[in-house]
């Protein structure tokens, strides 16, 4: 009996799992003589409590503000609405270290708000560190993202339902109960899980705005254990706790996001019957004004970098830019290749072999990567390669690898459905013609895959370009990216140069995000 070779996607899945398991085993083995969960009990409880509280409050504020903003935007049409929507869509790739700079510029001790208060004769000291700064930064990052997703969901209400609501004379409360709330309810659970997970794993914001060791998330605690104390056992113990919590949230997230798509109808813009209500008009005005006052100054603080571009024309900037682009392109390429292999394996299991449960395991692997603490995984892998490479070279190899794995969940959600669609449409025909491997990819899959794959590549590159995570471990004179250069300038209180660097990061991320959006919505 001749054994059939395994599908390449199966080998890729095993390689990812082996990589993750190997990294954590190396970490556990190195730190087996050190501290454990019992030894760090009080410290762990303090970090865990802070992580859960700040993530919970951030999630509630982001959801409340984001949903209110989405409802106001779906009811109103005004000049500048389209640029505002484009701005909301780019917050997903807004680098966190740039957000830190914006919060310090506006709400810092010598920031715009403090100067404004002094102008009114109020000389009250402002302290942005701790909960205030962290919550402002998290809401600034996540509320626009929530608003964008909720707004897209509200736009899927079928035209027939709006005509029926108009003919029945529905009031504002009935419209919200029967039309708006059902689509919002379908999105809120998944959004809440995702925002909570992002805030729970927050690193750069908490590291810069936490204000001391008393304000640390598990991610920051792992970083301090590795970078400051060199306590691998403590890092491994903290990582296990974070994995347990994040895995639980990720499994819930996987279940809520994997629901079947809702059928929609194509229609033009239909005026909402509740748009003329005076009370809603006043409420929407208040919500949009608060949104403008909250988001506007933070965005303007980033744009001030235009006037300081000339101050940073130095070799360090060019080197950091080239390094960031190279790492981002490599990470995006890796994420796309892994997504293609995993998606092809899931398709083969689901349609050809009629094994949907096994196919679901391939779908689950990218989601599981969301639960992995990147610092712990990186440290474990570094311990493996340390005997063979110097730290800067190891960092240069591990940065795109970890960033590529971090982008894989987002890339996979763009690529896998298109692979399924290609198989459903042309699978039997390609089998009859004997098309396999690269020939099938080029002739059958590529026409449906090229635009979502390009969109996913741009998105993965944007996510990696602005990342300030792993570079915090390996960054230095020999390895420096733009986010790390920005962090150095902030630490040296060179805010003018920091503003210019932050602007460059945002412009590149904005261009990549816009490119991703255009490719995503373009027709095949």
């Amino acid at each position: 009996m001749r054994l059939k070779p395994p599908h390449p996607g199966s080998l890729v899945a095993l390689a990812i799992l082996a990589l993750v398991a190997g990294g954590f085993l190396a970490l556990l083995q190195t730190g087996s003589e050190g501290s454990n969960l019992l030894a760090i009990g009080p410290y762990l409880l303090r970090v865990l409590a802070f992580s859960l509280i700040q993530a919970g409050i951030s999630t509630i504020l982001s959801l409340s503000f984001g949903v209110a903003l989405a409802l106001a935007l779906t009811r109103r049409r005004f000049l500048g609405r389209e640029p505002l929507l484009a701005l909301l869509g780019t917050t997903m790739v807004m680098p966190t270290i740039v957000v830190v700079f914006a919060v310090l510029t506006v709400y810092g001790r010598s920031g715009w708000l403090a100067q404004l208060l002094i102008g009114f004769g109020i000389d009250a000291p402002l302290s942005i560190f701790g909960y205030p700064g962290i919550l402002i930064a998290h809401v600034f990052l996540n509320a626009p993202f929530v608003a964008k997703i909720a707004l897209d969901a509200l736009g899927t209400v079928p035209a027939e339902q709006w005509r029926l609501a108009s003919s029945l004379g529905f009031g504002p409360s009935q419209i919200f109960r029967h039309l708006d709330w059902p689509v919002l309810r379908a999105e809120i659970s998944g959004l809440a899980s995702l925002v909570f997970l992002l805030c729970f794993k927050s690193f750069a914001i908490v590291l810069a705005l936490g204000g001391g060791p008393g304000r640390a998330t598990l991610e920051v605690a792992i970083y301090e254990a590795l970078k400051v104390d060199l306590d691998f056992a403590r890092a491994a113990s903290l990582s296990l706790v974070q994995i347990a919590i994040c895995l639980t949230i990720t499994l819930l997230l996987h279940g809520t996001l994997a629901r079947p798509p809702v059928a929609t109808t194509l229609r033009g813009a239909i005026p909402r019957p509740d748009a003329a209500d005076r009370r809603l008009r006043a409420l929407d005005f208040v919500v949009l004004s608060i949104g403008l006052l909250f988001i506007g100054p933070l965005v303007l603080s980033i744009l001030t970098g235009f006037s300081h571009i000339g101050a940073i024309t130095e070799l360090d900037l060019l080197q950091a830019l080239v390094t960031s682009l190279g790492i981002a392109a490599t990470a995006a390429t890796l994420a796309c290749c892994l997504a293609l292999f995993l998606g092809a394996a899931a398709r083969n299991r689901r349609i050809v072999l009629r094994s949907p449960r096994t196919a679901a395991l391939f779908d689950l692997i990218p989601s599981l990567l969301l639960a992995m603490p990147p610092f712990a995984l990186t440290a474990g892998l570094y311990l493996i390669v340390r005997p063979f490479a110097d730290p800067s070279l190891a960092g240069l190899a591990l940065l795109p690898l970890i960033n590529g794995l971090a982008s894989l969940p987002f890339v996979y959600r763009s690529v896998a459905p298109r692979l399924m669609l290609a198989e459903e449409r042309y699978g039997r025909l390609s089998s009859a013609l004997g098309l396999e491997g690269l020939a099938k990819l080029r002739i059958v899959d590529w026409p449906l895959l090229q635009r979502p794959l390009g969109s996913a590549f741009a998105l993965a590159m944007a996510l990696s370009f602005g990342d300030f995570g792993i570079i915090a471990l390996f960054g230095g004179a020999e390895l420096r990216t733009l986010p790390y250069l920005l962090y150095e300038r902030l630490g040296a209180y060179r805010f003018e140069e920091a503003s210019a660097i932050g602007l460059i990061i945002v412009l590149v991320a904005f261009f990549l995000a816009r490119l991703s959006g255009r490719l995503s919505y373009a027709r095949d």
Side-chain angles (χ1 to χ4, degrees):
M1 180 178 176
R2 184 180 177 184
L3 292 176
K4 190 175 181 179
H7 192 281
S10 302
L11 298 178
V12 168
L14 289 175
I16 293 175
L17 294 176
L19 199 67
V20 173
F24 281 98
L25 284 176
L27 200 64
L28 287 171
Q29 186 178 11
T30 304
S32 58
E33 301 298 328
S35 55
N36 52 41
L37 284 177
L38 292 178
I40 61 173
Y43 171 75
L44 175 62
L45 288 177
R46 189 170 65 249
V47 170
L48 198 55
F50 177 76
S51 301
L52 292 171
I53 291 173
Q54 66 84 18
I57 298 175
S58 298
T59 303
I60 293 172
L61 292 176
S62 299
L63 283 179
S64 303
F65 184 39
V67 170
L69 201 56
L71 286 169
L73 285 170
T74 196
R75 285 192 287 253
R76 305 297 155 200
R77 297 292 184 272
F78 52 86
L79 187 64
R81 184 176 181 273
E82 294 306 318
L84 178 60
L85 295 182
L87 178 64
L88 296 181
T90 59
T91 56
M92 182 178 175
V93 295
M94 182 79 77
T96 53
I97 191 66
V98 178
V99 175
V100 169
F101 163 76
V103 171
L104 288 174
T105 302
V106 177
Y107 300 102
R109 186 166 299 173
S110 303
W112 294 357
L113 181 60
Q115 299 299 323
L116 181 66
L117 292 176
I118 291 175
F120 283 102
I122 304 173
D123 191 10
L126 296 178
S127 177
I128 195 62
F129 297 102
Y131 277 105
I134 292 171
L135 295 180
I136 288 174
H138 282 167
V139 174
F140 175 63
L141 266 179
N142 297 311
F145 170 67
V146 171
K148 182 69 169 58
I149 300 297
L151 188 63
D152 290 342
L154 290 169
T156 62
V157 176
E160 295 79 7
Q161 293 189 15
W162 285 113
R163 295 192 187 98
L164 183 62
S166 298
S167 63
L168 294 176
F170 273 12
S173 61
Q174 292 169 313
I175 287 176
F176 179 78
R177 186 166 68 249
H178 297 294
L179 298 181
D180 292 336
W181 178 242
V183 294
L184 289 175
R185 186 177 56 189
E187 297 291 340
I188 281 177
S189 57
L191 280 173
S193 303
L194 183 58
V195 172
F196 184 88
L197 193 61
L198 293 174
C199 296
F200 185 78
K201 294 175 62 178
S202 181
F203 169 68
I205 289 173
V206 178
L207 180 68
L209 299 175
R215 299 284 187 268
T217 57
L218 280 172
E219 200 79 15
V220 174
I222 294 170
Y223 165 76
E224 290 175 343
L226 292 171
K227 181 81 174 182
V228 181
D229 303 326
L230 297 179
D231 190 341
F232 294 103
R234 179 150 58 98
S237 300
L238 293 170
S239 300
L240 290 176
V241 174
Q242 178 161 328
I243 288 173
I245 296 174
C246 291
L247 270 180
T248 305
I249 300 171
T250 301
L251 291 175
L252 294 173
L253 180 68
H254 182 76
T256 54
L257 292 183
R259 65 183 185 280
V262 180
T264 60
T265 57
L266 296 175
R267 62 175 172 84
I270 295 180
R272 292 172 57 109
D274 56 349
D277 187 84
R278 290 183 179 179
R279 292 169 297 179
L280 284 183
R281 189 178 296 174
L283 176 63
D284 293 343
F285 176 77
V286 172
V287 170
L288 291 173
S289 298
I290 293 175
L292 186 63
L293 290 174
F294 178 67
I295 298 175
L298 293 170
V299 174
L300 284 176
S301 68
I302 298 171
L303 296 181
T304 56
F306 274 118
S307 58
H308 305 298
I309 289 287
I312 56 166
T313 52
E314 55 189 43
L315 186 59
D316 283 352
L317 175 70
L318 183 60
Q319 290 177 341
L321 177 62
V322 172
T323 303
S324 295
L325 288 173
I327 290 173
T330 307
T333 304
L334 178 65
C336 289
C337 291
L338 294 178
L340 280 174
F341 279 115
L342 291 177
R347 176 178 72 174
N348 183 59
R349 290 284 176 177
R350 185 169 283 117
I351 296 182
V352 179
L353 301 180
R354 304 291 181 186
S355 177
R357 291 185 178 179
T358 313
L361 294 178
F362 290 97
D363 295 336
L364 186 60
I365 287 176
S367 298
L368 290 178
L369 291 174
L370 284 172
M372 296 297 118
F375 286 118
L377 178 59
T378 306
L381 295 178
Y382 173 66
L383 290 173
I384 295 175
V385 302
R386 184 171 57 176
F388 312 104
D390 61 77
S392 61
L393 189 61
L396 201 57
L398 290 176
L399 266 171
L401 173 63
I402 301 300
N403 285 346
L405 291 176
S407 303
L408 181 57
F410 305 99
V411 176
Y412 186 79
R413 290 190 181 280
S414 297
V415 171
R418 285 306 183 109
L419 285 171
M420 288 291 298
L421 182 63
E423 185 66 25
E424 289 171 353
R425 285 184 180 178
Y426 311 114
R428 292 183 179 178
L429 178 61
S430 61
S431 298
L433 295 175
L435 292 175
E436 291 181 349
L438 290 177
K440 184 177 181 181
L441 175 65
R442 180 172 56 85
I443 298 173
V444 177
D445 298 330
W446 185 248
L448 288 175
L449 203 58
Q450 52 184 334
R451 292 190 185 281
L453 191 62
S455 171
F457 181 87
L459 177 62
M461 198 170 167
L463 292 172
S464 177
F465 183 81
D467 179 67
F468 180 74
I470 305 306
I471 187 64
L473 282 177
F474 294 101
E478 297 179 349
L479 181 59
R480 186 181 282 134
T481 63
L482 273 186
Y484 189 82
L485 191 64
L486 172 58
Y487 182 71
E488 282 186 335
R489 294 297 187 268
L490 285 175
Y493 297 99
R494 296 161 66 176
F495 286 99
E496 292 183 351
E497 296 179 25
S499 66
I501 297 171
L503 179 64
I504 294 173
I505 297 174
V506 169
L507 289 178
V508 174
F510 179 80
F511 168 76
L512 292 170
R514 290 292 292 168
L515 178 63
S516 173
R518 285 182 176 275
L519 289 174
S520 177
Y521 289 108
R523 294 183 178 180
D524 296 320

